[in-house]
Amino acid sequence: MNDLDPLAARELLVEQVRLEAAGVVSLRLVDPDGGELPPWAPGAHIDLRLPSGTVRQYSLCGPLDDSRSYTVAVLREEHGRGGSAEVHDTGLVGRVLQVRGPRNHFALVDAPHYLFLAGGIGVTPILAMVREAAASGASWELYYGGRSRPAMAFTGVLSAIGAERVHLVPQDEAGLLPVAELIGAAPPGSAVYCCGPEGMVRAVTEACTDTRPGALHVERFTAPPGGDVHSTTDARPFRVELRRSGVTLDVPPERTLLDVVREAAPDVAFSCEEGYCGSCETKVLAGVPEHHDTVLSDEERERGDTMMICVGRAASELLALDL
């Protein structure tokens, strides 16, 4: 495949499915013709369209120098929305799946020290970051919590990268990660990277707010608690122009932008509909977007050239999108 546009949809072959821990499998995806794939950096994820049509987001966690395959890992969620069960229960080896990305809103910033905090399957983007930090000679430390050792994926790989810097904290042996203590003890100027369950993310966020404002970088599995991203209390009507489709539509207060857009562009990508996964990210060509997602940084929101249309609206009367 010669097209390396990361935003383009491409068909990739599931070459391997491998058990990485109790309830966790990894998938290795390759171009069916053996071509190179778009490059990526730690923190990037891809959108994977499963055979049922369900779209889910998975962080890339394979070797950074492998330009011909993507590796993702999937935890089976017994009470999830069905995507992980489909990955685990469907014979995917030899199947061709549609992939979009990679996209990255969880990138490594320059810092004198990195404190990595991973919980459960949240280790997947952190694994890539640890590889990068170790390869570059950066100062770093990882604390990785999980329910039990058998349920913690990639422990051997991580220990091989830096055994003295990798601290495994199985909950059944040592309890929860002491996040406030760890953050308080990190060297001055540390960047804190966290990915894990919402309870862990919330605890880390609170600890950083108190002691290290601006140091925290997080990626969520779910929308944060509190607030209604689809509230229509203060919503205003606006119009949306879909430049490539050549149509302009009205978006009333009681409907989401995504819902209206799908009338003219039914194949537009989306998944969570709560503003945390990034699947529906769309380029803004004109107008002022009103952001309600938890994906974009303050700088990206200020630029106003992209938005999550599942929860975003318009602060201007007309919004033009690249759709």
Side-chain angles (χ1 to χ4, degrees):
M1 180 177 292
N2 295 321
D3 180 11
L4 298 186
D5 177 7
L7 297 181
R10 67 194 71 248
E11 306 292 323
L12 297 186
L13 173 72
V14 181
E15 183 180 68
Q16 180 187 80
V17 176
R18 172 176 166 174
L19 183 67
E20 300 291 352
V24 178
V25 296
S26 65
L27 280 63
R28 188 168 71 229
L29 301 112
V30 300
D31 175 34
D33 299 322
E36 291 192 350
L37 302 178
W40 60 281
H45 72 265
I46 58 172
D47 297 338
L48 192 64
R49 184 178 292 275
L50 301 175
S52 66
T54 297
V55 177
R56 292 292 182 265
Q57 300 69 44
Y58 300 113
S59 296
L60 292 171
C61 59
L64 291 163
D65 59 357
D66 182 358
S67 64
R68 296 185 182 275
S69 75
Y70 289 155
T71 298
V72 299
V74 182
L75 168 68
R76 185 186 184 101
E77 295 278 4
E78 295 300 336
H79 303 291
R81 296 181 294 156
S84 67
E86 184 175 357
V87 169
H88 280 253
D89 295 342
T90 306
L92 291 179
V93 174
R95 299 284 291 267
V96 173
L97 304 178
Q98 186 183 86
V99 172
R100 289 184 185 271
R103 290 195 302 272
N104 199 340
H105 291 288
F106 192 43
L108 276 175
V109 299
D110 290 333
H113 180 79
Y114 298 99
L115 174 60
F116 298 119
L117 302 173
I121 198 62
V123 74
T124 50
I126 300 298
L127 171 57
M129 292 179 178
V130 164
R131 281 193 172 113
E132 175 74 9
S136 66
S139 174
W140 61 276
E141 204 155 14
L142 165 65
Y143 289 84
Y144 173 19
R147 293 189 305 275
S148 65
R149 288 183 187 271
M152 297 169 68
F154 304 117
T155 55
V157 174
L158 288 164
S159 295
I161 294 171
E164 73 286 353
R165 302 187 186 192
V166 173
H167 309 277
L168 305 179
V169 188
Q171 185 177 346
D172 61 348
E173 298 176 23
L176 298 174
L177 286 177
V179 295
E181 177 184 329
L182 297 174
I183 291 167
S190 296
V192 180
Y193 278 81
C194 172
C195 186
E198 182 55 37
M200 175 186 175
V201 172
R202 186 166 58 251
V204 172
T205 300
E206 291 172 357
C208 284
T209 299
D210 293 338
T211 61
R212 297 178 184 270
L216 179 60
H217 306 264
V218 302
E219 186 166 70
R220 286 183 154 89
F221 301 149
T222 60
D228 180 4
V229 292
H230 297 300
S231 172
T232 60
T233 302
D234 299 316
R236 298 181 304 174
F238 62 96
R239 307 194 80 202
V240 59
E241 177 190 357
L242 309 184
R243 286 276 176 89
R244 283 189 278 128
S245 300
V247 297
T248 300
L249 305 168
D250 292 315
V251 184
E254 69 276 8
R255 297 186 67 190
T256 67
L257 174 55
L258 173 63
D259 187 31
V260 172
V261 164
R262 292 186 67 209
E263 292 181 354
D267 294 330
V268 65
F270 71 97
S271 180
C272 76
E273 298 186 71
E274 293 186 301
Y276 66 82
C277 79
S279 285
C280 66
E281 183 173 4
T282 303
K283 291 180 181 178
V284 177
L285 303 179
V288 181
E290 179 182 292
H291 303 287
H292 296 280
D293 63 273
T294 56
V295 176
L296 297 176
S297 66
D298 290 341
E299 292 78 10
E300 289 168 326
R301 291 177 180 227
E302 185 67 26
R303 285 203 307 268
D305 57 1
T306 188
M307 69 182 298
M308 307 303 149
I309 62 173
C310 68
V311 293
R313 298 186 68 82
S316 54
E317 293 184 1
L318 178 67
L319 193 67
L321 302 176
D322 185 24
L323 289 172

